[in-house]
Amino acid sequence: MKHHEDMEKAMIYHAQNLAEWGYEDIQNLVRENNILREEIRVARESAEITASLVVKQFEETERILRRFQMANALRTAVLDSAAQMAIIATDRHGKIIVFNKGAENLLGYDPEEVLEKETPVLFHLESELRKHGRKIGVARDRSQRGIDILFEYARRGFYEQEEWTYVRKDGSTFPVSMSVNALHGPEGSLEGILCIASDITEKKRAEKALRESERNYRILINNIPNIVFKWYPDGGIDFYDDKIEKLTGYSLDEFLSRKLKWTDLIVDEDRHEFKEKFLKALKSNGTYIRQYRIRKKNGDVAWVEAGSQIIYDENGRIDFVTGAFLDITDRKRAEQALHESEEKYRSLFDSGPNPVFVLDMKNLTILDANRSAEETYGYTREELLGKSFLDLGEFEDIEKGLQWSESQGSPEACFVTQRARHRKKDGTPVYIRMNACPIKYQGDGAIILAATDITESIEKDAQLFQASKMTTLGEMSAGIAHELNQPLNAIKVGGEYLRFVLEKGGEIPMEDFLAAVDRINKQVDRASNIINRLREFGRKSDFRKRRVSFNRVIRLVMGIVGEQFKLQNIVFRVDLEESLPPVTADANRLEQVMFNLLTNARDAIEQGRGEDRRDDEGFIEIRSFVEGDHVAVTVSDNGSGIPDETLGRIFEPFFTTKEVGKGMGLGLSIVYGIIQDYGGHIHIHTREGTGTTFKITLPRADQENREETP
Ligand code: ADP
């Protein structure tokens, strides 16, 4: 521009001087003018060029500036967007020049607080700096406050991330993974460092959790009885602990070194199934459980159970099979033993000679019955199953017993019924002894009931009993004859009197005649009474229980033996409680009890006499009375008494001290059996040379009733 002004001034100067000049002057002027014009043109052109250059320059500057701004925004955005990554840069003096959002978040400082301050003392542990310093061979220089160590890191180009500890503003620490980078100037000089660190607290926690879970897994592997394995298609097998040695006798190494294949151990008989199961698993979801036998190193056989899972690779080929073995040898043995014992019991149950039933605890339905039960009762098994056991006959005692034991809290107690009357399918009675125990049957409460058919032995008992009664009656015949003779004599006397009167013409008063006839009738009654008593005694007992008056029993038996005993100079002393309550029994059997006790007493008296007291009067005292909830009857004699050495044996069947032909040794054993049957007891009090007392107690029937109907 300046150039342009300068040129115009020069042209005006030239025009003012034109009038004074000649042609030459003008020529010169024109020439000069042309030169000047040329100069002006050049000057204009150059000015134009210059202007466009300036504009260009200006535009360029502006573009650079925009780019720079953009880069700066990007840089801030990058720095700030790394919210969980601390980016800290320093200048070459260690003063902080960059402190991004992530650093703010992690360390808790505002940028204003730290910018221009020196790192690393702010964020680092001195001890850790020293440790890292030692590692790279830099002794920490106190004046440099540790920055030298970081600079040394940067200088040596250790860009790998390492684990450091950062200290927050509040003093708390956390682990970071940090890299230290060098910031170089244009000439390659070290202008600062850039530290990039990320919080690895979570990672560390996860690592710790992983470590722990790995440790737990190992503990688990070591402690579970299962042996975890990984089996490869080539037959090799890996185990994770040495429990395998305990199972097989082969060491872990023998398997790991691939000297041994697992399949080598499997016993021949089980190989086929072993393979089959695997093939089946291949076709399904790849899981399978196998039980098979292996041969141990020492030749023993062990049972294993293996649960396995086939794992496929991405191409669908078998990668490996994993799972766990369990040594089930003991279980198998127990199963085998159980099986055998079950078989044994089953065969006992099926082929046992006695009927056995399994009953439902709740309603006594027959759940199972054996062959003997079929034979004894005449029903088929099918007919028995589902039937109520009560349909077969009495069960009360057992039922009560079981209820009682349940109420007492000992439901496992067993109960025995001595004798129950049951009926076969065709109606014939059978006598059964039952033993019932509660059991668990297919998970439910049940009763196992073993029955014994005692019909035959009862018949034998009865025959024996009858025989013994008949013997006694035989023995009694003299007394009975004597007793019968009395009324017969009286009748004869009466008859003769009547005949005499009639012969004499019948001149007697009517009343006398009638009185004589009455006397005769009375004696006939008396005689038939005696015969009835004998008949009653002689009849067979049945085993049904009724309410019986013990006093009546005593009187009947006394009536039978009384005369006989009188002949033997033995008298009765009787003291019976008139209001004696009844007992539940069979009268005929109680008569047998009384009969045996009385005849034994008589024999003892006779024996006593035989020894020293030859002519003493024998006496037998009979008493009845109530004792609590029992009826008691005592029979005492003043006979020989029982010596200690025989006292313990007198209830044994066939034990007798009497001479051959006199005693069978059955009397007291029969007494014992009968009293036992009715839930009673026998006590003996005896003194040698003085006499013996037998005391019998039986439950009162009235008390029983009261119990039944509360
Ligand atoms: P038996 O009378 O046939 O011998 P028992 O079984 O009735 O058989 O009696 C067994 C034994 O008990 C008798 O042989 C006798 O020695 C003894 N005995 C029984 N009762 C008495 C009694 N009242 N006094 C003495 N001894 C008795």
Side-chain angles (χ1 to χ4, degrees), residues 418-421 430-433 452-466 540-543 589 677:
Q418 287 304 341
R419 183 180 296 136
R421 203 179 140 99
V430 270
Y431 287 94
I432 298 289
R433 176 177 301 139
T452 317
D453 181 355
I454 52 166
T455 315
E456 213 171 289
S457 87
I458 282 193
E459 271 161 12
K460 286 236 175 66
D461 263 7
Q463 280 166 10
L464 205 62
F465 184 31
Q466 199 61 20
K540 282 189 175 172
S541 326
D542 73 14
F543 293 101
R589 299 183 80 206
D677 254 13

Side-chain angles (χ1 to χ4, degrees), residues 596-597 599-605 607 635 637 639-643 646 649-658 662-670 686 691-694:
N596 287 343
L597 292 181
T599 49
N600 276 347
R602 176 204 60 193
D603 292 347
I605 291 168
Q607 199 199 342
V635 175
D637 63 62
S640 59
I642 308 170
T646 51
R649 302 192 55 198
I650 55 172
F651 290 108
E652 285 175 20
F654 304 108
F655 174 80
T656 180
T657 56
K658 293 165 195 171
K662 219 168 173 227
M664 296 229 303
L666 284 173
L668 284 183
S669 73
I670 289 174
T686 183
T692 305
T693 298
F694 278 81

Side-chain angles (χ1 to χ4, degrees), residues 530-546:
I530 293 166
I531 289 161
N532 277 344
R533 266 196 331 243
L534 285 174
R535 222 185 343 204
E536 209 180 312
F537 184 69
R539 78 163 193 269
K540 282 189 175 172
S541 326
D542 73 14
F543 293 101
R544 259 179 257 187
K545 296 185 207 170
R546 291 187 182 81

Side-chain angles (χ1 to χ4, degrees), residues 503-558:
E503 274 173 1
K504 291 288 171 213
E507 286 299 313
I508 57 156
M510 198 54 184
E511 306 92 83
D512 289 359
F513 188 78
L514 281 176
V517 172
D518 278 351
R519 262 203 305 278
I520 290 171
N521 277 343
K522 226 186 223 143
Q523 292 306 321
V524 171
D525 283 348
R526 188 176 156 198
S528 68
N529 242 338
I530 293 166
I531 289 161
N532 277 344
R533 266 196 331 243
L534 285 174
R535 222 185 343 204
E536 209 180 312
F537 184 69
R539 78 163 193 269
K540 282 189 175 172
S541 326
D542 73 14
F543 293 101
R544 259 179 257 187
K545 296 185 207 170
R546 291 187 182 81
R547 290 171 153 234
V548 179
S549 155
F550 216 135
N551 284 349
R552 220 183 93 101
V553 169
I554 295 168
R555 288 199 185 100
L556 180 99
V557 179
M558 268 169 50

